[in-house]
Amino acid sequence: MRKTIIAGNWKMNLSSAAAIELATAIRNGIPGSISPQTEVLLCAPALFLESLAASVAGNSKISIASQNAAAWKEGAYTGEISAFQLASSGIKTTLLGHSERRSLFGETDEVLKTKVDLALEAGIRPVFCCGEPKEVREAGTHEDLVGSQIQNALFHLNAENFSKLVIAYEPVWAIGTGLTASAQQAQDMHAFIRNLIADKYGKELADGISILYGGSMKASNASELLSMPDVDGGLIGGASLVADEFLKIVECA
Ligand code: 13P
């Protein structure tokens, strides 16, 4: 049975002290009754990863993840942090290909292919983000675009490596806008992604992949989105910065 993952993406927010306070509040607030299949992730600024990992230690339901990893293994890449360095700090998961990385930092499918390979080589689980901008949704070609993002960056992997991935579908028009994909729109895209994976790697493997939805998910819409059969969790930006709001989403899982 695949996991449900409720992941907060803090982006470039919070001071060191505020980050520790928030992580501690979330750690302590995770209900004891949470399903064994549910996992909570906090994707935090790189600078805080190790201290946050110490703050949440002792609760196996929650872990700290990176928001990015470099496209190189090591060397003269000032300011970058490699997947191997993340692994050496005890980090086990990283986001890759968030739409902000694609649009603001020029990450292409080709770069992401390399990043995915390096993360897997380092033993880091990638949460691979995909999603279409508004004009693509309006043109009705969103499945073509998301399909190509997945095929170009991921379909070179063998089945064993592919099965280690988590996918996050984040329609760009719903990120930070207050607009949310309807539960049906999310379900339709998640089912499309799962079928694409099944066609390439088989139904059994596809059924084991967690596909998260991101884009203005909050306490008031989480239960409807999470009730869809192919929505296996959320990647939450703004609403992950307030412990009570985020914990209400965790309770919907
Ligand atoms: P919001 O939840 O703020 O729309 O952000 C979504 C997101 O980008 C998570 O990665």
Side-chain angles (χ1 to χ4, degrees), residues 1-4 35-38 207-210:
M1 200 171 132
R2 57 184 178 254
K3 284 187 158 180
T4 301
S35 145
Q37 290 304 120
T38 301
D207 281 344
I209 299 281
S210 298

mmCIF file of all heavy atoms in Angstrom, residues 1-4 35-38 207-210:
data_model
loop_
_atom_site.group_PDB
_atom_site.id
_atom_site.type_symbol
_atom_site.label_atom_id
_atom_site.label_comp_id
_atom_site.label_asym_id
_atom_site.label_seq_id
_atom_site.Cartn_x
_atom_site.Cartn_y
_atom_site.Cartn_z
ATOM 1 N N MET A 1 0.841 -1.206 0.000
ATOM 2 C CA MET A 1 0.000 0.000 0.000
ATOM 3 C C MET A 1 0.873 1.253 0.000
ATOM 4 O O MET A 1 1.849 1.319 0.732
ATOM 5 C CB MET A 1 -0.848 -0.010 1.272
ATOM 6 C CG MET A 1 -2.062 0.874 1.190
ATOM 7 S SD MET A 1 -3.093 0.582 2.632
ATOM 8 C CE MET A 1 -3.400 2.244 3.152
ATOM 9 N N ARG A 2 0.512 2.199 -0.876
ATOM 10 C CA ARG A 2 1.383 3.387 -0.946
ATOM 11 C C ARG A 2 1.163 4.325 0.239
ATOM 12 O O ARG A 2 0.102 4.326 0.856
ATOM 13 C CB ARG A 2 1.193 4.111 -2.266
ATOM 14 C CG ARG A 2 -0.219 4.555 -2.552
ATOM 15 C CD ARG A 2 -0.313 5.168 -3.934
ATOM 16 N NE ARG A 2 -1.673 5.547 -4.236
ATOM 17 C CZ ARG A 2 -2.449 4.896 -5.074
ATOM 18 N NH1 ARG A 2 -2.017 3.804 -5.694
ATOM 19 N NH2 ARG A 2 -3.686 5.316 -5.301
ATOM 20 N N LYS A 3 2.198 5.138 0.479
ATOM 21 C CA LYS A 3 2.163 6.052 1.616
ATOM 22 C C LYS A 3 1.364 7.313 1.303
ATOM 23 O O LYS A 3 1.330 7.760 0.154
ATOM 24 C CB LYS A 3 3.587 6.517 1.930
ATOM 25 C CG LYS A 3 4.405 5.487 2.643
ATOM 26 C CD LYS A 3 5.712 6.109 3.062
ATOM 27 C CE LYS A 3 6.282 5.293 4.194
ATOM 28 N NZ LYS A 3 7.533 5.805 4.684
ATOM 29 N N THR A 4 0.791 7.888 2.330
ATOM 30 C CA THR A 4 0.254 9.242 2.246
ATOM 31 C C THR A 4 1.322 10.157 2.836
ATOM 32 O O THR A 4 1.822 9.894 3.933
ATOM 33 C CB THR A 4 -1.035 9.368 3.076
ATOM 34 O OG1 THR A 4 -1.979 8.429 2.563
ATOM 35 C CG2 THR A 4 -1.611 10.766 3.009
ATOM 36 N N SER A 35 -2.194 7.358 10.844
ATOM 37 C CA SER A 35 -2.039 6.030 10.238
ATOM 38 C C SER A 35 -0.554 5.681 10.057
ATOM 39 O O SER A 35 0.264 6.559 9.751
ATOM 40 C CB SER A 35 -2.745 6.036 8.881
ATOM 41 O OG SER A 35 -2.059 5.242 7.973
ATOM 42 N N PRO A 36 -0.211 4.404 10.209
ATOM 43 C CA PRO A 36 1.183 4.008 9.987
ATOM 44 C C PRO A 36 1.649 4.280 8.560
ATOM 45 O O PRO A 36 2.841 4.349 8.285
ATOM 46 C CB PRO A 36 1.207 2.507 10.286
ATOM 47 C CG PRO A 36 -0.165 2.110 10.660
ATOM 48 C CD PRO A 36 -1.067 3.303 10.614
ATOM 49 N N GLN A 37 0.673 4.440 7.641
ATOM 50 C CA GLN A 37 1.016 4.701 6.239
ATOM 51 C C GLN A 37 1.282 6.184 5.968
ATOM 52 O O GLN A 37 1.582 6.556 4.850
ATOM 53 C CB GLN A 37 -0.137 4.247 5.327
ATOM 54 C CG GLN A 37 -0.328 2.760 5.251
ATOM 55 C CD GLN A 37 0.945 2.060 4.822
ATOM 56 O OE1 GLN A 37 1.465 1.228 5.550
ATOM 57 N NE2 GLN A 37 1.462 2.403 3.644
ATOM 58 N N THR A 38 1.112 7.027 6.978
ATOM 59 C CA THR A 38 1.233 8.477 6.755
ATOM 60 C C THR A 38 2.580 8.996 7.236
ATOM 61 O O THR A 38 3.065 8.600 8.290
ATOM 62 C CB THR A 38 0.093 9.227 7.476
ATOM 63 O OG1 THR A 38 -1.144 8.749 6.984
ATOM 64 C CG2 THR A 38 0.174 10.727 7.237
ATOM 65 N N ASP A 207 1.072 1.597 -8.927
ATOM 66 C CA ASP A 207 0.173 1.646 -7.766
ATOM 67 C C ASP A 207 0.910 1.923 -6.458
ATOM 68 O O ASP A 207 0.307 2.310 -5.469
ATOM 69 C CB ASP A 207 -0.603 0.323 -7.638
ATOM 70 C CG ASP A 207 -1.766 0.270 -8.616
ATOM 71 O OD1 ASP A 207 -2.148 1.336 -9.144
ATOM 72 O OD2 ASP A 207 -2.283 -0.834 -8.864
ATOM 73 N N GLY A 208 2.212 1.719 -6.458
ATOM 74 C CA GLY A 208 2.993 1.952 -5.243
ATOM 75 C C GLY A 208 3.578 3.345 -5.135
ATOM 76 O O GLY A 208 4.179 3.697 -4.118
ATOM 77 N N ILE A 209 3.420 4.168 -6.204
ATOM 78 C CA ILE A 209 4.036 5.512 -6.198
ATOM 79 C C ILE A 209 3.086 6.525 -5.557
ATOM 80 O O ILE A 209 1.924 6.639 -5.957
ATOM 81 C CB ILE A 209 4.346 5.967 -7.656
ATOM 82 C CG1 ILE A 209 5.325 5.003 -8.333
ATOM 83 C CG2 ILE A 209 4.836 7.415 -7.683
ATOM 84 C CD1 ILE A 209 6.772 5.182 -7.965
ATOM 85 N N SER A 210 3.582 7.261 -4.587
ATOM 86 C CA SER A 210 2.772 8.320 -3.973
ATOM 87 C C SER A 210 2.815 9.553 -4.870
ATOM 88 O O SER A 210 3.895 10.023 -5.233
ATOM 89 C CB SER A 210 3.324 8.680 -2.592
ATOM 90 O OG SER A 210 3.256 7.561 -1.739
#
